[in-house]
Amino acid sequence: MPFIGPYVHFGFMPDSAWHFTADRLYLIILPAVATILGGLMLMFAANRVVGMAGGWLAALAGLWFVVGNSIAALWGGSAGTPIGASLGHRLTESLSGFTGLGTVITFLAAMALGRFAVVGVRDARRAERAAAAGGGAATAREGERAPRQGRAPEWERTGEGRGATRSAVPAHGRAGRGGGEHERPDQG
């Protein structure tokens, strides 16, 4: 927007297209590159560590879009003043170029971070298979069972009872919340 916006009278002063300054590098170009890099890392993440790193990179870039112009005042810099003549036009330029854009980027990155922070059923199953194939040998030799934390219920993992209503089974499935142990509805 600050580089091609002046073609359509939408951007920041100076009102010339492709005008480069060090402040625009720090306040616009670098956070945009970090956002794109973080988004690509999220899209092509093969594991949770890469996904989390990409999410944090994008979130920090979004936060920099929100607060960067205010912090730039400490070194006497600015991305420029909005070109628009009316108050609404200037507000739209500021929101779409910095504050609003950064808020949307931060929100989307937070959503992605939330997804990578949760262990899904497929991830738990994959970890169980890996533990059974190699890493779980020591536990099996000692006769101990690994804790069931994060595992799907047996009936869900085996596929039994597909299509049965589950209204009688609480989502949390723990004793002490809702009256003790519960049966699956299809077992009567």
Side-chain angles (χ1 to χ4, degrees), residues 5-182:
Y7 287 128
V8 292
H9 198 65
F10 191 81
F12 297 91
M13 290 297 212
D15 192 7
S16 60
W18 300 105
H19 182 79
F20 178 82
T21 64
D23 290 334
R24 286 188 174 183
L25 172 71
Y26 297 128
L27 298 174
I28 298 166
I29 297 171
L30 291 179
V33 169
T35 301
I36 292 168
L37 182 61
L40 289 172
M41 288 172 70
L42 282 167
M43 285 175 44
F44 299 111
N47 59 42
R48 291 174 57 169
V49 173
V50 174
M52 293 288 280
W56 277 109
L57 182 62
L60 291 174
L63 288 173
W64 184 250
F65 271 119
V66 173
V67 300
N69 238 354
S70 299
I71 293 175
L74 295 174
W75 72 73
S78 169
T81 58
I83 295 172
S86 71
L87 179 63
H89 193 180
R90 289 192 306 268
L91 179 64
T92 304
E93 289 168 337
S94 292
L95 286 176
S96 63
F98 292 102
T99 311
L101 174 66
T103 303
V104 169
I105 291 169
T106 304
F107 174 74
L108 293 174
M111 295 282 288
L113 282 169
R115 166 58 187 102
F116 280 103
V118 174
V119 177
V121 173
R122 277 187 268 162
D123 295 333
R125 288 180 189 157
R126 190 176 312 129
E128 284 177 5
R129 284 192 299 262
T139 305
R141 275 184 272 145
E142 296 171 10
E144 298 175 9
R145 285 189 60 175
R148 289 195 52 177
Q149 185 176 6
R151 286 182 51 186
E154 182 68 29
W155 57 269
E156 187 177 297
R157 286 186 285 125
T158 60
E160 291 180 22
R162 288 184 189 247
T165 60
R166 297 184 185 147
S167 59
V169 179
H172 50 77
R174 292 184 183 170
R177 291 187 185 173
E181 295 296 322
H182 298 278

